[in-house]
């Protein structure tokens, strides 16, 4: 897709809007991106906000559904497995912990995959949010804002859905919500819950033979012929939310909240080699189940003082993931092609667990003065404990089989133990933050502020097994402090046009690496001039971002046209060194630059038609390698698409006096990018092809009932979203790919009351 097509489309749309004589007025969207309420058009930063109506009309149910609607939001998978590997990136700032992810004011892990159910809105803030949101928001921030119960009115809805999936079976889902005052004007509750089942599309098929590398022969598989096991990646999910609204006094409110979700998956939804492939050839019918469950508990006090508001939020976040993968295919290759001892394939399964437990607190004051000065100031504390574990992975009979082939008791795999590890990490962060805004005159204002932070990371690891080269352990700590400034200049050129320019600094907390065993990786570390002690910790990296933008309301508020351009200078990058020995470590090395723009256009040419268009362009590349092996100056930053484009068109019509309907089309283009996984050299990085998707919906509704017919991914595009690193290591020649969902056609009904 070339830029000339974008220009043609943009000119055509604007010309159409200008020619419209019966235009309708667009709804203003109120956001709290700056920790105070304001409209999208008033905020001096590039951000996209999707309201609950936008999410409902577009059929948004999960992260990828709305991610493709956000210019310059990239999606990739960087870590092991499925549940804990999602790594969103904004404006080319890619990597673990570069994008902040929040549910209301509670920071959660960016890899979280919440269902998009019963939300007030979604806000995506582009650019570093180092002053108000702090660490892990160096590229930007994603915020899911939940609904608050009414103190005066009751309302609710029930929705059921069923759909047929190409190459699979049926999807089913149910959700319901009810908001009501328990004590009118004093206490309200909002209850919601959901359940669903997604059909699997991958089929596990018996692989009867394989090629032995050592002797160049074809060998039969000794395991039982299990034939074919269809739709092995089926999953079920459920979740609930309970929110209270307690008016303690006329100016003091308490908002307690409980949210939880659980996903139970029968298998990994990864395609082998090609995203179009739905066949998984395997030696054994080994299950690859996974579970992801999380809970958010929070209590928020809001104290309206007249001259401002105090908000105090205390949160607890707990998440546990547990997933498994067959590893005998990789081990069979390892014994044969690497060690040179070809034995029969023996069944083995590897599991990994990740536990997060976070306690956080923030208290802030946002002024509401009558004069030219306004400010926000607050304190923040978080204690995050994360434990990465691999329970003992065994391959029964392998040690005896290796001994028998050698003809001597070599005991290469004592106790048949392949790998086991336990790696707890405790991260503490304390911060003081604030921003001051001064209106120089009626048109010009300046905002300045920043965030002082102090962080401490303590980590340890105990490991053992064949893949670890025997037992090992270590302890390490890393701590630092610093200051992240931000400045914004805004100029209200007219009532409908707002110009702004900003400079801001972002950072990402340093940390502790996992174990790099000397016995297996010593030679590679020597070649890099490192010892294991040098590879145990890494510091924070930082960037400066410079942005100019315009927010405009045109043609009697029937069109909003927002645009921004940015330049990012990124230093001391936390780069992953992937070693041929199978281990990896993170090091601060090198520099990068990212530059580009976003353009968003929304329009209501008349009362029946609503259109939107979003375009994002990012050019992100390495400018200094820092000596990292396999990285060259000019390499594109992995996991980052150059172009992201989205558009939608909704046409509303009356069926009769009681019934109304609309038809809607959503389109997205996601540009090509490079995989972040599995290749040590950038010269060999795997390119992910660009992809497009088209979703169609037809909705018929009255005041109480709503019926929707939908078709998602109409053209059945199968996209390579990422080369997954698998749970242990990739079997050469059989990379596993994260893909989107196939074409899905379905029907949903909703009752409102």
């Amino acid at each position: 897709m070339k830029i000339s097509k974008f220009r043609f489309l943009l000119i055509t749309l604007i010309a159409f809007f200008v020619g419209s004589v019966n235009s309708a007025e667009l709804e203003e969207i109120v956001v709290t991106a700056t920790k105070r309420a304001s409209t999208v058009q008033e905020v001096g930063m590039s951000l996209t906000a999707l309201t609950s109506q936008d999410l409902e009309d577009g059929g948004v149910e999960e992260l990828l559904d709305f991610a493709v609607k956000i210019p310059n939001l990239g999606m990739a998978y960087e870590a092991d497995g499925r549940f804990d590997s999602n790594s969103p990136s904004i404006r080319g700032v890619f990597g673990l912990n570069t994008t902040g992810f929040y549910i209301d004011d509670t920071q959660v892990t960016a890899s979280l995959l919440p269902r998009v159910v019963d939300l007030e809105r979604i806000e995506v803030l582009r650019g570093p949010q180092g002053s108000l949101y702090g660490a892990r928001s160096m590229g930007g921030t994603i915020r899911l804002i939940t609904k608050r119960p009414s103190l005066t009115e009751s309302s609710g809805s029930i929705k059921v859905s069923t759909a047929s999936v190409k190459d699979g079976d049926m999807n089913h889902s149910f959700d319901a919500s009810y908001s009501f005052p328990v004590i009118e004007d004093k206490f309200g509750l909002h209850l919601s819950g959901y359940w669903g089942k997604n059909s699997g599309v991958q089929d596990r098929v018996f692989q009867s033979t394989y090629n032995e590398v050592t002797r160049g022969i074809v060998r039969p598989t000794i395991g039982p012929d299990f034939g074919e096991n269809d739709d092995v990646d089926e999953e079920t999910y459920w979740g609930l939310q309970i929110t209270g609204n307690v008016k303690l006094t006329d100016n003091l409110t308490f908002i307690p909240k409980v949210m939880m979700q659980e996903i139970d998956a029968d298998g990994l939804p990864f395609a082998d080699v090609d995203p179009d492939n739905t066949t998984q050839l395997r030696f054994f019918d080994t299950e690859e189940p996974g579970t992801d469950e999380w809970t958010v508990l929070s209590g928020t006090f809001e104290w309206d003082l007249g001259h401002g508001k105090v908000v105090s939020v205390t949160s607890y976040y707990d998440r546990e993931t547990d997933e498994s993968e067959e590893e005998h295919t990789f081990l069979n290759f390892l014994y044969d092609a690497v060690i040179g001892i070809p034995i029969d394939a023996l069944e083995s399964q590897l599991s990994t667990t990740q536990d997060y437990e976070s306690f956080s607190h923030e208290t802030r004051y946002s002024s509401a003065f009558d004069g030219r000065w306004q400010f926000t100031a607050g304190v923040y504390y978080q204690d995050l404990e994360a434990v990465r574990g691999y329970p003992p992975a065994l391959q029964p009979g392998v040690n005896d089989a290796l001994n028998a082939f050698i003809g001597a008791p070599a005991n290469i795999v004592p106790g048949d133990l392949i790998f086991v590890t336990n790696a707890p990490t405790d991260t503490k962060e304390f911060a003081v933050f604030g921003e001051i805004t001064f209106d120089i005159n009626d048109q010009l204002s300046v905002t300045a502020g920043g965030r002082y932070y102090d962080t401490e990371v303590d980590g340890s690891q105990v490991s053992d097994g064949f893949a670890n080269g025997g037992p090992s352990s270590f302890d390490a700590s890393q701590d630092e402090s610093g200051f992240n400034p931000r400045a914004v200049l805004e100029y209200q050129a007219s009532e409908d046009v707002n110009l702004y320019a900003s400079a801001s600094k972002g950072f990402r907390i340093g940390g502790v690496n996992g174990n790099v065993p000397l016995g297996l990786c010593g030679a590679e570390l020597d070649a890099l001039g490192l010892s294991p002690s040098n590879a145990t910790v890494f510091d924070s990296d930082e960037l400066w971002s410079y942005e100019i933008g315009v927010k405009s309301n045109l043609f009697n508020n029937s069109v909003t046209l927002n645009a921004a351009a940015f330049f990012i200078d990124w230093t001391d990058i936390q780069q992953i060194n992937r070693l041929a020995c199978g281990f990896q470590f993170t090091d601060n090395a090198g520099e990068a630059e990212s530059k580009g723009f976003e353009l968003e256009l929304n329009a209501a040419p008349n009362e029946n038609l609503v259109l939107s268009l979003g375009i994002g362009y990012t050019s992100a590349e390495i400018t200094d390698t820092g000596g990292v092996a396999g990285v060259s100056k000019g390499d594109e930053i992995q996991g980052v698409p150059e172009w992201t484009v989205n558009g939608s068109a909704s046409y509303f019509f009356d069926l009769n006096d009681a019934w109304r309907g609309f038809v809607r089309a959503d389109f997205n283009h996601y540009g090509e990018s490079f995989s972040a996984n599995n290749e040590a050299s950038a010269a060999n990085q795997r390119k992910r092809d660009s992809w497009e998707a088209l979703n169609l919906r037809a909705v018929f509704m009255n005041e109480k009932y709503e019926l929707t017919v939908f078709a998602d991914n109409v053209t059945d595009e199968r996209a390579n979203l990422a080369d997954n690193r698998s749970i242990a290591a990739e079997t050469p020649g059989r990379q596993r790919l994260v893909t989107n969902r196939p074409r899905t056609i379905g029907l949903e009904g909703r009752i409102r009351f």
Side-chain angles (χ1 to χ4, degrees):
M1 185 172 287
K2 298 180 180 179
I3 192 170
S4 58
K5 293 183 180 180
F6 299 155
R7 290 175 176 167
F8 174 78
L9 179 60
L10 181 59
I11 292 171
T12 302
L13 286 172
I14 292 177
F16 177 72
F17 301 149
V18 172
S20 301
V21 295
N22 296 315
S23 59
E25 190 168 329
L26 290 169
E27 176 189 3
E28 286 190 329
I29 302 177
V30 176
V31 296
T32 53
T34 58
K35 308 265 186 179
R36 60 172 68 238
S38 55
T39 69
V40 170
Q41 299 304 98
E42 293 171 336
V43 178
M45 75 169 72
S46 178
L47 72 93
T48 300
L50 302 174
T51 67
S52 59
Q53 195 64 55
D54 294 330
L55 300 173
E56 183 180 314
D57 291 349
V60 174
E61 294 185 346
E62 55 187 32
L63 181 64
L64 188 63
D65 293 341
F66 76 79
V68 295
K69 301 178 184 295
I70 310 298
N72 282 333
L73 175 58
M75 304 301 298
Y77 292 74
E78 184 178 18
D80 291 1
R82 167 196 183 187
F83 290 126
D84 200 46
S85 63
N86 179 42
S87 300
S89 65
I90 298 177
R91 288 182 167 178
V93 183
F94 170 77
L96 187 65
N97 292 327
T98 58
T99 301
F101 202 97
Y102 286 78
I103 297 178
D104 295 316
D105 283 308
T106 302
Q107 186 177 58
V108 297
T109 47
S111 60
L112 197 67
L113 299 170
R115 305 297 298 182
V116 181
V117 176
D118 210 30
L119 294 181
E120 183 68 30
R121 66 184 179 277
I122 295 175
E123 300 175 7
V124 180
L125 289 57
R126 287 179 285 264
Q129 307 299 318
S131 59
L132 295 182
Y133 293 92
R136 305 182 187 92
S137 289
M138 67 187 300
T141 300
I142 300 171
R143 305 180 69 221
L144 307 186
I145 311 299
T146 61
K147 292 182 178 179
R148 184 172 295 189
S150 172
L151 296 178
T152 58
E153 297 180 349
S154 298
S155 63
S157 69
I158 298 174
K159 187 189 80 172
V160 294
S161 176
T162 186
S164 174
V165 182
K166 178 73 181 300
D167 292 326
D169 194 3
M170 300 293 293
N171 291 348
H172 304 289
S173 69
F174 168 87
D175 68 72
S177 66
Y178 184 48
S179 181
F180 61 100
V182 179
I183 303 175
E184 191 166 351
D185 295 324
K186 295 293 184 181
F187 175 35
L189 274 178
H190 184 94
L191 311 175
S192 64
Y194 54 89
W195 174 92
K197 179 185 77 71
N198 286 332
S199 168
V201 297
Q202 296 292 326
D203 303 326
R204 189 182 303 124
V205 178
F206 178 65
Q207 182 177 339
S208 59
T209 63
Y210 63 93
N211 295 320
E212 182 190 294
V213 175
T214 301
R215 294 180 294 201
I217 61 175
V218 177
R219 295 185 62 176
T221 302
I222 65 170
D225 185 347
F226 60 84
E228 181 172 330
N229 190 350
D230 293 338
D231 304 336
V232 295
D233 53 323
E234 180 178 289
E235 69 174 24
T236 58
Y237 58 87
W238 67 269
L240 62 85
Q241 175 183 329
I242 304 172
T243 306
N245 186 357
V246 186
K247 191 173 183 180
L248 300 174
T249 68
D250 287 343
N251 59 357
L252 180 61
T253 301
F254 177 56
I255 310 293
K257 185 187 305 294
V258 178
M259 293 183 69
M260 58 180 61
Q261 177 182 283
E262 181 174 329
I263 302 174
D264 293 303
D266 292 343
L268 292 169
F270 301 151
D272 287 357
V273 183
D274 189 294
D276 290 311
N277 181 31
T278 58
T279 298
Q280 300 177 349
L281 290 174
R282 298 293 185 267
F283 297 144
F284 301 94
D285 193 19
T286 305
E287 299 294 332
E288 298 181 315
T291 300
D292 178 13
E293 51 187 79
W294 56 266
T295 301
V296 170
L297 306 176
S298 67
T300 303
F301 287 94
E302 296 182 350
W303 188 14
D304 191 344
L305 302 176
H307 53 72
K309 179 186 286 189
V310 174
V311 178
S312 183
V313 185
T314 302
S315 302
Y316 172 79
Y317 167 59
D318 178 80
R319 185 187 186 198
E320 298 179 3
T321 65
D322 184 347
E323 50 190 329
S324 300
E325 181 181 29
E326 67 85 14
E327 66 168 340
H328 46 261
T329 309
F330 173 75
L331 292 173
N332 181 259
F333 169 85
L334 182 65
Y335 301 140
D336 177 18
V338 179
I339 301 177
I341 307 177
I343 60 174
D344 290 323
L346 298 172
E347 188 171 13
S348 181
Q349 184 189 65
L350 178 69
S351 298
T352 182
T353 61
Q354 180 75 66
D355 297 339
Y356 294 96
E357 190 171 7
S358 169
F359 171 83
S360 63
H361 177 83
E362 177 176 301
T363 295
R364 64 180 184 268
Y365 170 80
S366 298
S367 68
F369 301 149
D370 292 332
R372 294 185 175 185
W373 291 93
Q374 302 291 348
F375 75 91
T376 296
V379 295
Y380 177 80
Y381 174 79
Q382 183 187 41
D383 185 353
L384 171 63
E385 296 181 1
V387 182
R388 184 76 171 183
Y390 288 81
L394 302 174
Q395 190 172 31
V398 67
N399 196 55
D400 289 343
L402 292 170
N403 287 343
F405 187 92
I406 295 171
N411 293 326
I412 297 174
V413 188
D416 297 332
L417 178 63
I418 301 300
F419 188 59
V420 60
T421 192
N422 187 61
T425 302
D426 185 12
T427 303
K428 294 183 175 67
E429 177 187 1
F430 171 76
V432 178
F433 63 89
E435 289 189 346
I436 299 175
T437 298
F438 176 65
D439 295 332
I440 299 173
N441 53 42
D442 290 342
Q443 292 180 289
L444 191 63
S445 67
V446 61
T447 299
R451 187 183 192 97
Y452 168 81
Y453 65 90
D454 186 276
T455 64
E456 180 181 348
V457 183
D458 297 302
S460 63
Q461 183 170 329
V462 177
S463 305
D464 198 0
F466 163 69
N468 195 66
S472 65
S473 64
F474 84 96
D475 292 276
S477 297
Q478 186 270 344
D479 61 84
E480 58 190 313
S481 59
F483 182 75
N484 286 279
R486 179 174 183 261
V488 183
L489 183 67
E490 295 184 68
Y491 177 67
Q492 193 74 38
S494 68
E495 184 179 349
D496 299 321
V497 178
N498 182 28
L499 305 173
Y500 68 89
S502 68
S504 55
K505 184 181 179 182
F507 80 109
R508 172 172 45 167
I509 291 178
V512 175
N513 282 307
N515 179 53
V516 182
L518 187 60
L520 294 176
C521 308
E524 286 185 85
L525 292 174
D526 288 342
L528 295 172
L530 297 172
S531 67
S533 61
N534 297 131
T536 57
V537 300
F538 54 93
D539 293 327
S540 66
D541 51 354
E542 61 184 39
L543 57 79
W544 272 96
S545 175
Y546 308 93
E547 177 181 332
I548 57 172
V550 58
K551 304 279 185 79
S552 61
N553 297 312
L554 308 174
F555 312 122
N556 298 319
N557 291 327
S558 65
V559 175
T560 62
L561 177 60
N562 300 338
F566 63 89
F567 175 80
I568 294 173
D569 184 16
W570 190 0
T571 58
D572 294 325
I573 302 174
Q574 293 179 11
Q575 296 199 57
I576 296 177
N577 283 262
R578 291 189 168 88
L579 305 175
C581 63
F583 288 80
Q584 62 187 38
F585 67 93
T586 300
D587 191 21
N588 296 97
E591 301 176 2
E593 289 181 356
S594 180
K595 52 184 177 292
F597 66 85
E598 296 98 26
L599 184 147
E600 291 186 292
L601 184 65
N602 294 282
N606 55 56
E607 294 182 352
N608 301 99
L609 185 62
V610 178
L611 303 170
S612 73
L613 173 68
I615 300 173
Y617 171 78
T618 298
S619 175
E621 62 180 38
I622 299 294
T623 57
D624 184 340
T625 67
V628 175
V631 179
S632 301
K633 183 178 180 180
D635 286 348
E636 295 182 30
I637 293 179
Q638 301 158 5
V640 177
E642 189 175 45
W643 289 99
T644 52
V645 182
N646 70 86
S648 70
S650 298
Y651 183 77
F652 295 82
F653 52 88
D654 291 324
L655 294 170
N656 53 41
D657 291 341
W659 285 83
R660 183 170 171 79
F662 71 88
V663 291
R664 177 180 172 118
D666 286 270
F667 169 81
N668 75 267
H669 167 85
Y670 190 95
E672 65 181 25
S673 60
F674 289 92
S675 171
N677 294 319
N678 305 321
E679 295 286 354
S681 171
N684 299 323
Q685 287 297 319
R686 300 165 186 160
K687 181 173 287 189
R688 304 185 302 181
D689 291 335
S690 62
W691 61 280
E692 291 82 27
L694 174 66
N695 299 337
L696 301 175
R697 299 175 68 82
V699 182
F700 309 95
M701 56 192 170
N702 62 17
E703 289 186 359
K704 185 174 182 179
Y705 300 104
E706 184 175 300
L707 180 67
T708 302
V709 181
F710 64 89
D712 293 336
N713 193 8
V714 174
T715 60
D716 197 31
E717 177 88 357
R718 305 295 175 95
N720 176 1
L721 300 180
D723 282 19
N724 188 270
R725 209 173 76 91
S726 300
I727 292 177
E730 177 185 295
T731 300
R734 201 203 72 184
Q735 62 265 35
R736 305 193 76 174
L737 308 180
V738 183
T739 67
N740 62 332
R741 295 288 289 174
R743 179 171 58 236
T744 303
I745 299 175
L747 182 70
E748 67 181 37
R750 188 190 302 268
I751 300 175
R752 303 181 193 275
F753 52 89

